[in-house]
């Protein structure tokens, strides 16, 4: 597999050099669970993954909870049979546990040591690999159910596992060779600092886009600690592709989690206004609106790579050029002005 088409960067101190764009497999997870994106076609999903690899992507990000195991199974099928030299890095996550008897219920945040080890073995089996390249804690353990809020935090149960306990287990898995690197997703700077005192935080994975800029502090922390940063939802779940409209949102299927999310309801007008403001910049760079939105996230100091999803091969073509888009200071000021004018999202408007 050639990675000459997508720029490469070192992922913190992990020893892995990754493309600046990674394939995110949340959207291919299918329906029938709490945070699905509606019905998907497995053959198209696998084709999308392989198309991204052919185009220069060399890592795939997934999670056990996506499709309640289905996403990991699809990733396993997509990479099965590839020559060793062509196999991408596989990143997955732990800590969201579902009830198989009630798949529509919100998964619970559980990071008890026995649960972590059980989840790891299940992920290895579904992926068809003997180790995980990057194993990430999906959310801080609260012992309660997850209600998705784009990186928000829920109530904490007295039964929650302390970070110091679950991060030590993650470090043990790394020492045992079951995982190559360990990371934290959706963890605040104070939690990152507490984890760093136990074992180095190799990578963080926060949500980050021109709409959701609230992870700026986490990214700054990572930059100061030689920690890699892979951001998720740089297109804010499709809102920054330039392809969304109020009509399209109104026609989202009931089993698509986005239909009820505030970004697609009360925040929709502002978000679409910001997306429209990216179009003139895209035209100047001969790029898509999606590529400009991703390039904005990649331009933030400390960001190593961005996770981008696709459910069909042609969707990959709409963002694969983002790593080569070099936004100028004037472009970044134009985006900042659009953020201010639209009042979209939260967080600083410029690096």
């Amino acid at each position: 597999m050639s990675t000459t088409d997508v720029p490469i960067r070192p992922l913190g101190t992990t020893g892995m050099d990754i493309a600046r764009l990674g394939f995110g497999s949340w959207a291919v997870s299918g329906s029938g669970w709490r945070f699905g994106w509606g019905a998907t076609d497995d053959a198209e999903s696998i084709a999308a993954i392989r198309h991204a690899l052919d185009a220069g992507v060399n890592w795939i990000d997934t999670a056990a909870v996506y499709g309640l195991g289905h996403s990991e199974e699809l990733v396993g099928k997509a990479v099965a049979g590839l020559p060793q030299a062509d196999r991408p890095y596989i990143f997955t996550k732990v800590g969201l546990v579902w009830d198989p008897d009630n798949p529509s219920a919100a998964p619970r945040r559980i990071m008890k040591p026995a649960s972590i080890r059980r989840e790891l073995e299940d992920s290895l089996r579904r992926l068809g690999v003997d180790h995980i390249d990057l194993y990430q804690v999906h959310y801080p353990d609260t012992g309660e159910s997850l209600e998705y809020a784009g990186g928000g935090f829920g109530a904490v149960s007295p039964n929650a596992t302390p970070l110091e306990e679950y991060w030590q287990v993650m470090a043990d898995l790394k020492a045992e060779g079951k995982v190559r690197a360990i990371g934290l997703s959706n963890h605040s700077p104070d939690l990152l600092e507490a984890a760093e005192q136990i074992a180095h935080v190799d990578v963080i994975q926060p949500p980050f886009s021109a709409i959701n800029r609230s992870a700026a502090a986490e990214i700054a922390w990572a930059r100061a600690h030689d920690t890699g940063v892979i951001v998720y939802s740089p297109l804010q779940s499709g809102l920054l592709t330039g392809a969304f409209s109020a009509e399209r949102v109104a026609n989202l299927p009931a089993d698509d989690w986005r239909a009820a999310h505030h970004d697609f309801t009360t925040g929709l007008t502002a978000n679409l206004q910001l997306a429209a403001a990216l179009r003139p910049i895209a035209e100047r760079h001969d790029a898509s609106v999606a590529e400009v939105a991703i390039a904005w996230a990649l331009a933030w100091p400390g960001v190593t790579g961005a996770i981008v999803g696709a459910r069909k091969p042609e969707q990959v073509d709409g963002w694969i050029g983002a790593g080569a888009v070099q936004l100028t200071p004037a472009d970044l000021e134009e985006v900042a002005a659009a953020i201010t004018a639209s009042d979209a999202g939260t967080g600083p408007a410029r690096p």
Side-chain angles (χ1 to χ4, degrees):
M1 170 178 51
S2 169
T3 56
T4 56
D5 299 326
V6 183
I8 303 293
R9 295 289 185 275
L11 181 60
T13 58
T14 66
M16 291 182 277
D17 293 331
I18 66 167
R20 298 215 75 193
L21 304 171
F23 188 94
S25 59
W26 179 13
V28 304
S29 61
S31 58
W33 68 294
R34 185 63 166 265
F35 300 111
W37 297 60
T40 54
D41 181 288
D42 286 355
E44 279 194 323
S45 298
I46 291 172
I49 294 171
R50 290 179 175 166
H51 186 57
L53 299 181
D54 288 342
V57 169
N58 72 342
W59 54 287
I60 301 171
D61 182 83
T62 184
V65 76
Y66 295 163
L68 312 185
H70 187 59
S71 175
E72 288 187 332
E73 291 172 347
L74 283 179
V75 171
K77 291 176 181 178
V79 303
L82 290 178
Q84 192 60 40
D86 292 347
R87 291 180 70 87
Y89 296 122
I90 303 294
F91 303 164
T92 193
K93 308 180 200 73
V94 60
L96 291 183
V97 179
W98 63 91
D99 180 356
D101 295 326
N102 187 12
S104 64
R108 294 176 62 205
R109 302 185 190 185
I110 298 175
M111 283 294 294
K112 295 185 182 303
S115 183
I116 297 171
R117 290 184 175 275
R118 181 172 58 252
E119 281 202 66
L120 174 62
E121 295 303 323
D122 288 343
S123 290
L124 291 171
R125 173 179 48 79
R126 287 189 290 258
L127 291 164
V129 297
D130 60 7
H131 75 281
I132 303 296
D133 293 302
L134 172 62
Y135 205 37
Q136 304 158 98
V137 180
H138 210 148
Y139 278 89
D141 186 346
T142 62
E144 299 293 337
S145 65
L146 170 75
E147 291 298 339
Y148 183 71
F153 301 93
V156 178
S157 162
N159 296 322
T161 306
L163 176 138
E164 291 78 8
E165 185 174 343
Y166 66 72
W167 190 240
Q168 183 60 61
V169 177
M170 296 290 284
D172 292 343
L173 293 175
K174 180 179 176 181
E176 294 164 17
K178 292 182 178 292
V179 302
R180 181 171 178 176
I182 52 177
L184 293 168
S185 181
N186 300 303
H187 281 60
S188 59
D190 60 323
L191 293 177
L192 297 177
E193 187 60 36
E196 185 72 10
Q197 304 310 308
I198 299 162
H200 180 52
V201 179
D202 293 322
V203 180
I204 67 167
Q205 183 184 139
F208 194 64
S209 74
I211 292 173
N212 183 0
R213 307 171 302 278
S214 58
E218 287 91 318
I219 295 170
W221 183 94
R223 189 183 185 200
H225 290 82
D226 294 325
T227 292
V229 179
I230 52 174
V231 298
Y232 73 85
S233 295
L235 296 176
Q236 204 61 26
S237 305
L239 284 170
L240 293 175
T241 60
F244 259 91
S245 64
E247 180 181 8
R248 180 176 173 185
V249 171
N251 289 319
L252 287 172
D255 58 355
D256 188 323
W257 67 270
R258 295 175 294 180
H261 193 271
H262 62 79
D263 280 340
F264 292 81
T265 54
T266 56
L268 181 63
T269 299
N271 293 338
L272 292 181
Q273 180 181 335
L274 175 56
L278 301 182
R279 192 168 298 281
I281 302 173
E283 291 172 354
R284 291 199 298 271
H285 286 271
D286 193 23
S288 68
V289 171
E291 286 168 337
V292 168
I294 298 165
W296 181 90
L298 293 175
W300 204 273
V303 172
T304 313
I307 301 164
V308 196
R311 293 193 276 186
K312 301 177 181 179
E314 56 266 29
Q315 291 176 333
V316 174
D317 296 332
W319 51 256
I320 195 65
V325 175
Q326 297 295 317
L327 298 180
T328 66
D331 293 331
L332 294 174
E333 283 302 317
E334 190 170 336
V335 175
I339 289 171
T340 301
S342 66
D343 198 29
T346 56
R350 55 178 61 77

